[in-house]
Amino acid sequence: MIFTTENILLIGSILLFVSLIVGKTGYRFGVPALLLFLIVGMLFGSDGLGIQFNNPQQAQFIGMIALSIILFSGGMDTKMTEIRPVLGEGVVLATAGVFITALVTGGFIYWISGMTGQHIALTLVEALLLASVMSSTDSASVFSILRSKKLHLKYNLRPMLELESGSNDPMAYLLTILFIQMVQAENMGIGSLALELVMQLSIGAICGYLLGRLAVLTLNKINIQYESLYPVLLLALVFFVFSFTNLLQGNGYLAVYIAGVIVGNRPFIHKKSVTSFFDGFAWLCQIIMFLTLGLLVNPHELLEVASLGLLVGVFLILIARPVSVFLCLLPFRKLPMKGRIFVSWVGLRGAVPIIFATYPQIAGVPHADLIFNVVFFITILSLLVQGMSIPWVAKRLNLGMPEPKTGNTFGVELPESIKSAMSEITITPELLQKGNQLMHLSLPDNTLVVMINRENNYMVPTGKTQLKTGDKLLVITDNDEALRDTYESLGVKEYTLEKN
């Protein structure tokens, strides 16, 4: 079956539905949803149900759009206060770490490729090209797995890993382009590479920051009658950031990630509804992107590169990634050994390496199909081995922390313009020792209990309202510090506190 204008919606809707059902089922067994989306695409592809899709240019375009949304949404969810302490580690991993990974892995591929069969022997430059394509960690995989597993880690490891994966694409992209040109006998010296890297990083960072500030200003100043159009406006701004940065010879992926961080850490109108829109839309983009890449591959060709892919994948996971991480983190003494081991393990490969693997195909370099299939094989291996074991590794290294509870059972959200804190507590017998009426509950000044949830029945209380064990109270205050101190003095151990 071939995609046509008549059946594309039918095929697309079936693929999305099946992916969501399979993803829900796989979540119970700890299988990364993104791996399942890839597999669904493969099952519906040429070797499965027969959907024909073999256009690397279209796959690259779909991946470019999807990654822009995923990186921007990931940036919006990243707190600046969490990034700042690990900025140095993240930047070094995203640049030197990628280079070291490519160099070490490329040397191994060159040595091993000739031993697995003469028909897939690679030159040194081709081996370095293959290593460069898969040298960066994948932002979609890292964001998705760390957040879907609700991992809250010590030592700011999660923001460090998200910062690395969100900003390491420029180095992998430049190395990929460099070795493609070398394979095609085009000159591009180390000096030119270094200059282009500096330009891409600096222009991308500057454009991301300035255009991110401009996006916030635009959202707050423009007056649109319909609230539902604000996500559409921001979506247009995201695509503008990406394309305008590329037009200036900067890296668009880095720019949209930084713009997302800037937008997410500043107040703007309808922020919560816009953020919810991008969360859902980013998931849709991930599903479409991984389905597309799954359709693009011919699974029977993966068997032909299984021996090489398995050897390179194991080397990348167990040697190349740890070597690059430990060398890059040598100057940062505060991070303990178990933190370095965990960062070494979370070197997830995913959509980005596969998309980069389409560049040699489009350029027509020798062994381009081999490179694509090996990268695809290693991506599946990485998601299967590393993606499924991340929670277990975090637990074994004692790096996990309880995920802070967010939201409330009342479904109430404060507008961004209201600078108050909202809290939810559950009444325990200890809180009723001084009396069971609301007036007997000692709360700081400028604090109100605005609603009570009792067995899923809601009521607006007064001072004489009698409280019962198990009641949930929605509390609003202007003094969150005093309220936190009051909770501690009353012995309240479990509560939420949302501050605008």
Coordinates of all heavy atoms in Angstrom, one line a residue, residues 46 58 62 86 100 131 138 146 209 226 228 249 251 273 287-288 319 327 329 345 358 374 395 397 401-402 453 466:
S46 N 7.1 -2.0 4.8 CA 7.2 -2.8 3.6 C 7.4 -4.3 4.0 O 6.9 -5.1 3.2 CB 8.4 -2.3 2.8 OG 9.6 -2.4 3.6
Q58 N 11.5 13.2 2.8 CA 10.3 13.5 3.6 C 10.4 13.1 5.0 O 9.9 13.8 5.9 CB 9.1 12.7 3.0 CG 8.7 13.2 1.6 CD 7.5 12.4 1.0 OE1 7.0 11.5 1.7 NE2 7.1 12.8 -0.2
I62 N 9.9 15.7 8.2 CA 9.0 15.4 9.3 C 9.8 15.4 10.6 O 9.3 16.0 11.6 CB 8.3 14.0 9.1 CG1 7.4 14.1 7.9 CG2 7.6 13.6 10.4 CD1 6.8 12.8 7.5
V86 N 24.3 23.2 36.7 CA 24.9 22.1 35.9 C 25.2 22.6 34.5 O 25.4 21.8 33.5 CB 24.0 20.9 35.8 CG1 23.9 20.2 37.2 CG2 22.6 21.2 35.3
I100 N 34.4 13.2 21.5 CA 35.2 12.0 22.0 C 34.4 10.8 21.6 O 35.1 9.8 21.2 CB 35.4 12.2 23.5 CG1 36.3 13.4 23.8 CG2 36.0 10.9 24.1 CD1 36.4 13.7 25.3
A131 N 30.1 6.8 13.1 CA 30.2 7.2 14.5 C 29.6 8.6 14.8 O 29.0 8.8 15.8 CB 31.6 7.1 15.0
D138 N 19.7 11.5 22.2 CA 18.5 11.9 21.6 C 17.6 12.6 22.6 O 17.2 12.1 23.6 CB 17.8 10.7 21.0 CG 16.5 11.1 20.3 OD1 16.5 11.9 19.4 OD2 15.4 10.6 20.7
L146 N 12.8 10.0 30.9 CA 13.0 10.5 32.2 C 11.7 11.1 32.8 O 11.4 10.9 34.0 CB 14.1 11.7 32.2 CG 15.5 11.2 31.9 CD1 16.4 12.4 32.0 CD2 16.0 10.1 32.9
Y209 N 17.9 33.0 22.6 CA 17.7 33.9 23.8 C 16.9 35.1 23.3 O 15.8 35.4 23.9 CB 19.0 34.3 24.4 CG 18.8 35.3 25.5 CD1 18.5 34.9 26.8 CD2 19.0 36.7 25.3 CE1 18.3 35.8 27.8 CE2 18.8 37.6 26.3 CZ 18.5 37.2 27.6 OH 18.3 38.1 28.6
Y226 N -9.5 35.3 21.1 CA -9.8 33.9 21.4 C -8.5 33.3 22.1 O -7.4 33.3 21.5 CB -10.2 33.1 20.2 CG -11.4 33.6 19.5 CD1 -11.3 34.3 18.3 CD2 -12.7 33.4 20.1 CE1 -12.4 34.8 17.7 CE2 -13.8 33.9 19.5 CZ -13.7 34.6 18.3 OH -14.8 35.1 17.7
S228 N -7.8 30.3 22.7 CA -7.3 29.1 22.0 C -6.3 29.4 20.9 O -5.7 28.5 20.4 CB -8.5 28.3 21.4 OG -9.3 29.1 20.6
Q249 N 22.7 30.9 9.5 CA 23.8 29.9 9.6 C 24.0 29.4 11.0 O 25.1 29.0 11.4 CB 25.1 30.4 9.0 CG 25.0 30.8 7.5 CD 24.5 29.7 6.6 OE1 25.0 28.6 6.7 NE2 23.5 30.0 5.8
N251 N 22.4 27.1 14.5 CA 21.8 25.8 14.7 C 20.3 26.0 15.2 O 20.1 26.5 16.3 CB 22.6 24.9 15.6 CG 22.0 23.5 15.7 OD1 21.2 23.2 16.5 ND2 22.6 22.7 14.8
S273 N -2.5 27.0 29.9 CA -3.2 26.3 28.8 C -2.2 26.1 27.6 O -2.3 25.1 26.9 CB -4.4 27.2 28.3 OG -4.0 28.4 27.9
I287 N 5.3 10.6 18.4 CA 4.6 9.4 17.8 C 4.8 9.4 16.3 O 5.2 8.5 15.7 CB 3.1 9.4 18.2 CG1 3.0 9.2 19.7 CG2 2.4 8.2 17.4 CD1 1.5 9.3 20.2
I288 N 4.5 10.6 15.6 CA 4.5 10.7 14.2 C 6.0 10.5 13.7 O 6.2 9.8 12.7 CB 4.0 12.0 13.7 CG1 2.5 12.1 14.0 CG2 4.3 12.3 12.2 CD1 1.9 13.5 13.7
I319 N 31.6 1.3 26.6 CA 33.0 1.8 26.6 C 33.0 3.3 26.1 O 33.5 4.2 26.8 CB 33.9 1.0 25.7 CG1 34.0 -0.5 26.3 CG2 35.3 1.6 25.6 CD1 34.8 -1.4 25.5
L327 N 35.8 11.6 31.0 CA 36.8 12.6 30.6 C 36.2 14.0 30.7 O 36.9 14.9 31.2 CB 37.3 12.3 29.2 CG 38.3 11.1 29.0 CD1 38.6 10.9 27.6 CD2 39.5 11.3 29.9
L329 N 33.8 15.0 32.6 CA 33.4 15.4 33.9 C 34.5 15.5 34.9 O 34.3 15.7 36.1 CB 32.3 14.5 34.5 CG 30.9 14.6 33.7 CD1 29.9 13.6 34.3 CD2 30.4 16.0 33.7
W345 N 25.3 5.9 31.6 CA 24.3 4.9 31.2 C 23.2 5.5 30.4 O 22.7 4.9 29.5 CB 23.8 4.1 32.4 CG 22.9 3.0 32.0 CD1 21.5 2.9 32.2 CD2 23.3 1.8 31.4 NE1 21.0 1.7 31.7 CE2 22.1 1.0 31.2 CE3 24.5 1.3 31.0 CZ2 22.2 -0.3 30.7 CZ3 24.5 0.0 30.4 CH2 23.4 -0.7 30.3
T358 N 19.9 9.9 7.6 CA 19.3 10.2 6.2 C 20.2 11.1 5.4 O 20.1 11.1 4.2 CB 17.9 10.7 6.3 OG1 17.9 12.0 7.0 CG2 17.0 9.8 7.1
V374 N 22.6 0.3 10.4 CA 23.4 0.2 11.6 C 22.9 1.1 12.7 O 22.7 0.7 13.9 CB 24.9 0.3 11.4 CG1 25.7 0.4 12.7 CG2 25.4 -0.8 10.5
K395 N 17.8 3.3 40.8 CA 17.5 2.7 42.2 C 18.7 2.0 42.7 O 19.0 2.1 43.9 CB 16.3 1.7 42.0 CG 15.9 1.1 43.4 CD 14.7 0.2 43.2 CE 14.2 -0.4 44.5 NZ 13.0 -1.3 44.3
L397 N 21.8 2.7 42.2 CA 22.8 3.7 42.6 C 22.3 4.6 43.6 O 23.0 5.5 44.0 CB 23.2 4.5 41.3 CG 23.9 3.7 40.2 CD1 24.1 4.6 39.0 CD2 25.3 3.2 40.7
M401 N 14.8 10.2 44.0 CA 14.2 11.0 45.0 C 12.7 11.0 44.8 O 12.2 10.8 43.6 CB 14.7 12.5 45.0 CG 16.2 12.6 45.3 SD 16.8 14.3 45.1 CE 15.7 15.2 46.2
P402 N 11.9 11.2 45.8 CA 10.4 11.2 45.6 C 10.1 12.4 44.7 O 10.6 13.5 44.8 CB 9.9 11.5 47.0 CG 10.9 11.0 48.0 CD 12.2 11.3 47.2
N453 N -12.9 19.0 50.2 CA -13.3 17.8 49.5 C -13.5 16.7 50.5 O -12.6 16.2 51.1 CB -12.3 17.4 48.5 CG -12.6 16.2 47.7 OD1 -13.6 15.5 48.0 ND2 -11.9 15.9 46.6
Q466 N -17.3 21.8 60.6 CA -16.7 20.7 61.3 C -15.9 19.8 60.3 O -16.3 19.4 59.2 CB -17.7 19.8 62.0 CG -18.5 20.5 63.1 CD -19.4 19.5 63.9 OE1 -19.6 18.4 63.5 NE2 -19.8 20.0 65.1

